């Protein structure tokens, strides 16, 4: 764990962005295509912590990006080269462009200054999307990664961020996966090797203004 001063420097609002990954109604909402994952995100407190971080980012001037996975109704351009994609095509809730399933899930708030980055293909919220050029144009060097799932999209985002030269920071209590005990194992054995692992409260503390409440 970095010291308070190290974390504060690393999370400088001028060079930090917060990425929420697939925190959409069709994934973590009450009518999710993946009810086990949605339950894990809610009961673990991860979804609430993402909302807390987004709120603090808005107040601190940290750029927020929301990464959504969706597909066209005709499926054109979508991947079919893994079991995960083929299974998703049969789910009762589809992440179709323009539907409620691909809107942000409460209690997370989207503001006008946020970026919403949508992808129609692949597994990563970073590689092959607008995230990297947006971050570079904004002068961001640190990417704070939150959301779901710890099974697939979160490690993808962390690895891609590191490969692109960003410092990845993961608040371990603001991500979720299934089964519940998989997330801490993934954090401990994989993500901690390449990212700075922290907590929601530590991030909020780093963004708190000196002398502020």
């Amino acid at each position: 764990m970095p010291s308070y001063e190290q974390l504060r420097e690393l999370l400088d609002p001028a060079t930090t962005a917060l990425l929420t990954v697939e925190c959409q109604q069709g994934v973590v909402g009450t009518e999710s295509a993946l009810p086990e994952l949605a339950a894990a995100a809610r009961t673990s407190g991860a979804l609430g912590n993402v909302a807390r971080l987004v709120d603090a980012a808005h107040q601190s001037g940290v750029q927020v990006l929301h990464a959504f996975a969706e597909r066209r109704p005709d499926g054109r351009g979508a991947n079919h080269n893994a079991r995960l994609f083929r299974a998703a095509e049969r789910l009762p809730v589809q992440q179709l462009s323009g539907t409620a399933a691909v809107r942000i899930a409460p209690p997370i708030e989207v503001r006008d200054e946020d970026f919403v980055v949508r992808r129609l293909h692949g597994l990563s919220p970073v590689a092959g999307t607008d995230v990297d050029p947006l971050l570079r144009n904004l002068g961001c060097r640190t990417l704070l990664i939150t959301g779901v799932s710890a099974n697939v999209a979160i490690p993808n985002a962390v690895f891609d961020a590191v490969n692109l030269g960003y410092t990845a920071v993961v608040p371990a209590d603001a991500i979720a996966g299934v089964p519940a005990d998989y997330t801490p194992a993934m954090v401990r054995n994989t993500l901690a090797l390449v990212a700075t692992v922290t907590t929601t409260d530590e991030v909020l503390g780093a963004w708190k203004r000196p002398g502020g409440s």
Side-chain angles (χ1 to χ4, degrees):
M1 285 282 190
S3 68
Y4 169 79
E5 289 302 329
Q6 289 172 327
L7 191 61
R8 188 176 181 85
E9 181 178 357
L10 184 61
L11 295 175
D12 179 355
T15 55
T16 297
L18 169 63
L19 179 69
T20 75
V21 177
E22 296 181 27
C23 292
Q24 56 203 71
Q25 293 188 33
V27 176
V28 296
T30 55
E31 297 183 7
S32 170
L34 304 163
E36 185 181 2
L37 178 59
R42 291 178 177 276
T43 59
S44 68
L47 190 62
N49 284 331
V50 175
R52 293 172 64 206
L53 288 164
V54 169
D55 182 59
H58 289 153
Q59 295 182 41
S60 302
V62 172
Q63 180 65 56
V64 178
L65 300 91
H66 305 280
F68 291 164
E70 59 183 57
R71 56 186 285 120
R72 289 166 47 120
D74 60 10
R76 287 175 62 83
N79 286 65
H80 305 280
N81 58 334
R83 187 176 68 176
L84 176 66
F85 301 122
R86 295 189 292 272
E89 294 172 4
R90 300 190 295 270
L91 292 173
V93 177
Q94 293 289 305
Q95 314 299 318
L96 299 181
S97 302
T99 67
V102 293
R103 296 175 190 155
I104 201 74
I108 300 168
E109 179 186 6
V110 179
R111 290 194 180 177
D112 290 343
E113 63 265 29
D114 296 357
F115 288 106
V116 175
V117 180
R118 303 180 183 276
R119 76 179 194 274
L120 294 170
H121 59 85
L123 298 170
S124 176
V126 177
T129 74
D130 288 337
V131 168
D132 180 39
L134 289 172
L135 294 178
R136 292 189 185 281
N137 288 344
L138 292 164
C140 292
R141 301 303 308 151
T142 298
L143 186 60
L144 187 66
I145 298 169
T146 67
V148 298
S149 73
N151 304 75
V152 178
I154 295 298
N156 260 264
V158 171
F159 296 150
D160 288 336
V162 172
N163 286 333
L164 288 166
Y166 300 99
T167 298
V169 178
V170 178
D173 56 356
I175 65 171
V178 290
D181 60 357
Y182 180 76
T183 300
M186 163 61 78
V187 170
R188 182 175 59 254
N189 297 306
T190 302
L191 300 186
L193 301 178
V194 293
T196 297
V197 176
T198 184
T199 67
T200 296
D201 285 343
E202 288 172 340
V203 174
L204 298 183
W207 284 342
K208 189 176 297 183
R209 293 182 179 89
S213 59

